[in-house]
Amino acid sequence: MNTPVTSSAPVKFTPSGTDTNGPWHEGEIHMQKLVGVDERMAEVGKRVLRDHLIDQHRHFYPQLPFAVFGAVDDNGDVWATLRANHPGFLHSPDPYQLAVDIPRDPTDPADAGMDDGKAIGMIGIELHTRRRNRLNGTIARSSDSGFAIRLGHSYGNCPQYIHLRDFEFVRDPLSSQTGSHADLESTLNDKARAMISEADTFFVATYVDRPGEKREVDVSHRGGKPGFVRINADGSLTIPDFAGNLFFNTLGNILANPKAGLVFTDFATGDVLQITGDADVIIDGPEIAAFQGAERLWRVFPRKVILRKATLPIRWRDQIDGASPNSLLTGDWETAERKIAAMQNAIIWKNFKIARIVKENRIIKSFHLEPLDGTGTLPYKAGQHLLIRVTVPGHDKPLIRTYTLSSGPSDNRYRISVKREGAVSSHLHDHLAEGDVIEARAPAGDFSIDAHVKRPAVLIAGGIGITPMISMLRHIVYEGLRTRGFRPTWLFYAARTLEYRAFDDELVELVKAAQGSIRLVRVLADPTDAEPRKDYEASGHIDMDLLRSLLPFDDFDFYLCGPPPFMQAIYDGLRGLNITDTRIHAEAFGPASLQRSHDSQPDLPELAPASSTDTKVDFSGSDKSAIWKPDDGKTLLELAEDAGLAPEASCRGGNCGTCRTKILQGNVTYKTRPSAKTAQDEALICCAVPAAAEDGSDESLVLAL
């Protein structure tokens, strides 16, 4: 893929030149602060960064058939290189040094930085077991046949994103390599591009000069799905940065010293591609949102490129099912580009093919939707809803409805799970089949969950209210697997009977995947024909007695979704137990809204009073107008419909945002505050009325309808 570079601005950072007197330098600390882990990492660094090799590492390094080194040449360019020898070429004569038995290699650009007294970084990685450890230090060289590294820092590394591979030597590793060598200047030839485009693994070297002329070089492993490194139109490379140890050695070094050296390997041929150049870091932008699992991006702009063919004496073969589970949870640039293309048309109606229909129970069907034009689904938050528009026989215009997404943000399809209870839902159930097309607009809504918060979450669902909870659970499980840290979660799910309950198998699989972090409590109002413990955990209804009997009532966030009376009863019960209003999140159906009792007056402006006089309302796009009368109690949507217009609307309660309309003149207010957000010049006409003019004038209201 040959795409333009991202338009997002890189992180700006200027080192002060003062030493931090701690394990981390200024660039690393700046990155840690950006994600809010600097205080935690200050303590972690003191424990895990050592100035010596522990016994486990001293035993580990001699097992390795290769290692990756980082070194800096006399021009200040940093190079990463991969060097191989029979196991035992790395050994530790004492805890403070590691001996490296590899001869000098003038064809390797990193070798120029491997003189006595030079700084060096190294990562030892065992591809067939996913073990890896890192160190840096200073070279002590007495001959051209090898050197020792005097330890600066040493620490272990997690096994994420490593593809399992077995190795074998194909020639004597100490014999001179016979492959060809190509200096490509700053360009990438076809072979180089192929190596990058097909790579699921590469290594990166960076360095920083700390005060006191103390240079520290770091080498790190990067992995993902094949093609996770993108070649941009200008020849630069864009790399997604996934969840890691939060040390930010690589990205922190780039902030402090924007240089990087990369090494790619063709594991089947022994070819090595080495790149050195300038680098930067991007922490926000549409590409990050679109690339599954990416938490930020970084880029490399090559200045020198060297391709050495068949230079390695070692070859690797992929193990069966050897792909990293962590890598499988990440995305790819092709999918990300489709999502970015979809973002550009987020506000328009798009055609979606029904790829699959699943009957979840006797009254609920799930519809899996794929964009008909081949672009991707839009990024969304777990718990949000999808606007759909369908043409139903007997209706003179398409009908719009809002259905909560039951898919998770990491899924590549939208899934809506629809209960049969009205004209549109009955049409979906009875008349649409796989392959049919419906229209949908961008996901929206404020009911969502943050999977990274450590505070336990309690999800309470009644009936069809399970749909946003399934989305939230899928998100919690995905993020837990991706980051190796699950948010503790309870799900209380109430259904009338066993045959009215949905997603049984999926819930069991999610609970299993969460590795003990999700507890499921299924409640049946009528447990006839159901087996206790196998089919349900409690009978009756979800009420405070049930919650008190199972929850320790520590510091929880509560999420409610179900019929309005169900949610109101749960909300009132939680407030009666002194659960703060800000800890209770709810999704309302239709025009019904939860009546809240706030702990303190919310910091929201008071709603303006409604006009007390007749107000002329002009609809600018249709050359129609109407008179709004205070005594009629009509909303602006109803007024427009009376005038023969057909504005798009769904919930009629200010929850979904479908009816959002531009205000060209005048002001509106609401009898009750809507939950959907609007810009200052927009109105939710389904629940809006003209506001009283501040100066007492009879100014008309003009809407873009």
Side-chain angles (χ1 to χ4, degrees):
M1 186 177 294
N2 193 10
T3 60
V5 297
T6 175
S7 59
S8 303
V11 176
K12 294 183 181 295
F13 173 72
T14 303
S16 67
T18 58
D19 201 343
T20 61
N21 295 316
W24 314 115
H25 61 71
E26 289 183 294
E28 292 165 327
I29 293 172
H30 188 78
M31 282 300 308
Q32 293 165 6
K33 284 182 176 179
L34 288 175
V35 296
V37 298
D38 51 309
E39 292 184 4
R40 177 155 61 98
M41 288 301 106
E43 294 301 317
V44 170
K46 295 174 184 177
R47 297 197 307 269
V48 303
L49 265 66
R50 307 176 183 89
D51 64 353
H52 63 281
L53 295 172
I54 61 174
D55 287 344
Q56 183 184 48
H57 294 179
R58 296 183 72 194
H59 296 149
F60 169 73
Y61 286 122
Q63 301 172 180
L64 302 180
F66 79 98
V68 184
F69 299 90
V72 183
D73 65 20
D74 292 338
N75 296 318
D77 290 327
V78 58
W79 295 92
T81 187
L82 192 152
R83 299 295 304 274
N85 199 347
H86 290 300
F89 82 100
L90 300 171
H91 52 96
S92 174
D94 63 65
Y96 294 94
Q97 55 182 329
L98 182 73
V100 183
D101 296 335
I102 53 171
R104 303 208 70 150
D105 182 355
T107 69
D108 184 350
D111 189 78
M114 293 184 178
D115 294 331
D116 183 58
K118 295 289 186 68
I120 192 168
M122 190 193 89
I123 183 168
I125 184 167
E126 202 169 52
L127 293 181
H128 57 285
T129 65
R130 291 201 176 104
R131 292 181 63 193
R132 60 178 174 174
N133 295 295
R134 284 155 78 173
L135 60 80
N136 63 27
T138 305
I139 291 176
R141 182 183 287 280
S142 58
S143 71
D144 287 344
S145 61
F147 57 88
I149 300 175
R150 295 196 181 103
L151 266 291
H153 292 139
S154 170
Y155 60 94
N157 242 188
C158 61
Q160 295 188 99
Y161 314 112
I162 299 175
H163 191 114
L164 290 172
R165 290 182 163 94
D166 296 316
F167 73 93
E168 64 176 345
F169 282 91
V170 295
R171 61 176 173 82
D172 181 357
L174 298 182
S175 65
S176 298
Q177 66 92 12
T178 58
S180 62
H181 175 284
D183 187 339
L184 306 178
E185 298 296 334
S186 63
T187 61
L188 300 171
N189 64 13
D190 290 344
K191 171 61 178 176
R193 286 175 173 271
M195 288 180 68
I196 295 170
S197 298
E198 297 167 7
D200 59 34
T201 299
F202 75 92
F203 300 92
V204 52
T206 55
Y207 75 100
V208 64
D209 289 326
R210 298 186 69 161
E213 298 184 358
K214 182 183 178 184
R215 174 168 290 176
E216 294 179 354
V217 183
D218 178 76
V219 180
S220 179
H221 162 272
R222 289 293 190 271
K225 291 180 179 177
F228 75 108
V229 181
R230 187 181 68 187
I231 305 173
N232 302 310
D234 64 354
S236 63
L237 309 178
T238 299
I239 303 110
D241 194 61
F242 305 131
N245 58 22
L246 301 178
F247 294 177
F248 293 112
N249 303 125
T250 298
L251 301 192
N253 283 358
I254 289 173
L255 288 192
N257 180 30
K259 296 181 178 182
L262 312 184
V263 60
F264 294 84
T265 303
D266 186 325
F267 292 105
T269 66
D271 295 352
V272 171
L273 175 68
Q274 292 165 281
I275 299 170
T276 190
D278 304 305
D280 61 20
V281 178
I282 297 167
I283 62 169
D284 193 19
E287 292 184 310
I288 298 171
F291 198 107
Q292 190 64 44
E295 300 189 343
R296 58 203 65 83
L297 303 173
W298 54 287
R299 297 182 298 185
V300 175
F301 302 84
R303 280 186 285 101
K304 298 177 184 177
V305 180
I306 292 177
L307 175 62
R308 296 187 294 148
K309 292 188 175 182
T311 191
L312 292 175
I314 191 172
R315 302 290 185 269
W316 291 264
R317 62 182 181 278
D318 294 351
Q319 291 187 12
I320 298 174
D321 297 325
S324 162
N326 301 90
S327 294
L328 294 177
L329 292 170
T330 64
D332 58 79
W333 280 111
E334 182 178 353
T335 302
E337 294 296 339
R338 288 200 300 266
K339 286 182 179 289
I340 293 168
M343 289 182 201
Q344 296 172 353
N345 297 305
I347 63 172
I348 68 173
W349 290 100
K350 291 181 58 176
N351 288 326
F352 282 78
K353 180 183 72 174
I354 300 175
R356 186 180 176 214
I357 299 176
V358 177
K359 186 174 182 179
E360 305 291 357
N361 64 18
R362 63 181 298 177
I363 57 172
I364 297 174
K365 282 186 178 181
S366 288
F367 299 83
H368 297 250
L369 308 177
E370 293 179 345
L372 196 62
D373 62 3
T375 61
T377 56
L378 288 163
Y380 61 93
K381 296 179 181 179
Q384 289 190 307
H385 53 250
L386 189 71
L387 287 168
I388 72 163
R389 184 168 70 179
V390 295
T391 299
V392 178
H395 293 262
D396 57 1
K397 62 179 182 179
L399 299 183
I400 297 173
R401 293 294 184 269
T402 301
Y403 294 111
T404 305
L405 286 157
S406 58
S407 51
S410 60
D411 298 323
N412 289 325
R413 291 174 174 172
Y414 293 142
R415 180 180 68 175
I416 55 173
S417 299
V418 180
K419 176 184 176 183
R420 181 201 296 272
E421 57 181 349
V424 173
S425 62
S426 295
H427 179 73
L428 292 174
H429 274 249
D430 299 335
H431 300 290
L432 295 188
E434 293 177 359
D436 287 342
V437 175
I438 61 175
E439 292 179 291
R441 214 158 73 177
D446 299 321
F447 185 59
S448 62
I449 195 168
D450 185 345
H452 303 120
V453 172
K454 299 305 180 186
R455 183 184 303 111
V458 180
L459 315 183
I460 303 177
I464 193 61
I466 188 62
T467 53
M469 306 311 187
I470 282 285
S471 178
M472 291 179 179
L473 285 180
R474 293 183 69 83
H475 183 53
I476 287 167
V477 169
Y478 168 79
E479 288 298 310
L481 293 171
R482 187 180 71 83
T483 64
R484 297 171 297 129
F486 293 90
R487 182 174 186 178
T489 304
W490 292 67
L491 172 64
F492 290 82
Y493 175 22
R496 193 187 317 166
T497 65
L498 190 60
E499 65 177 348
Y500 279 94
R501 197 171 65 206
F503 305 109
D504 273 356
D505 292 341
E506 186 171 343
L507 285 171
V508 170
E509 288 302 313
L510 289 170
V511 170
K512 180 180 178 181
Q515 303 168 18
S517 295
I518 293 177
R519 180 165 178 184
L520 174 63
V521 180
R522 298 164 297 178
V523 182
L524 293 178
D526 179 3
T528 304
D529 300 326
E531 183 179 336
R533 291 182 297 278
K534 176 179 179 292
D535 296 323
Y536 67 99
E537 285 70 42
S539 60
H541 304 279
I542 299 176
D543 54 22
M544 289 306 103
D545 289 339
L546 176 64
L547 295 179
R548 273 195 299 259
S549 69
L550 295 175
L551 290 176
F553 272 94
D554 199 352
D555 188 16
F556 291 105
D557 281 333
F558 290 87
Y559 295 81
L560 317 180
C561 190
F566 168 84
M567 289 199 298
Q568 193 67 56
I570 299 296
Y571 176 85
D572 292 342
L574 293 174
R575 295 292 284 124
L577 293 175
N578 294 319
I579 307 299
T580 63
D581 174 71
T582 56
R583 289 278 184 262
I584 306 173
H585 312 272
E587 174 77 300
F589 287 121
S593 115
L594 196 67
Q595 300 300 310
R596 290 182 173 270
S597 55
H598 297 287
D599 300 289
S600 59
Q601 188 63 30
D603 187 20
L604 295 171
E606 290 187 7
L607 292 173
S611 176
S612 59
T613 62
D614 292 359
T615 302
K616 183 183 179 185
V617 180
D618 291 320
F619 305 109
S620 65
S622 58
D623 292 328
K624 292 186 178 183
S625 63
I627 302 298
W628 178 86
K629 297 179 180 295
D631 295 337
D632 288 346
K634 290 183 178 179
T635 65
L636 293 173
L637 172 60
E638 293 168 332
L639 193 72
E641 290 173 334
D642 287 347
L645 302 179
E648 292 182 345
S650 179
C651 73
R652 295 184 180 253
N655 299 316
C656 70
T658 308
C659 66
R660 192 179 284 111
T661 302
K662 284 283 186 182
I663 303 171
L664 304 180
Q665 178 181 297
N667 295 286
V668 303
T669 189
Y670 304 92
K671 292 182 178 180
T672 58
R673 192 182 303 276
S675 61
K677 291 181 173 60
T678 60
Q680 190 171 1
D681 63 344
E682 292 177 334
L684 297 172
I685 61 173
C686 72
C687 54
V689 297
E694 294 182 2
D695 58 3
S697 66
D698 295 328
E699 181 184 46
S700 63
L701 177 65
V702 181
L703 300 176
L705 281 175

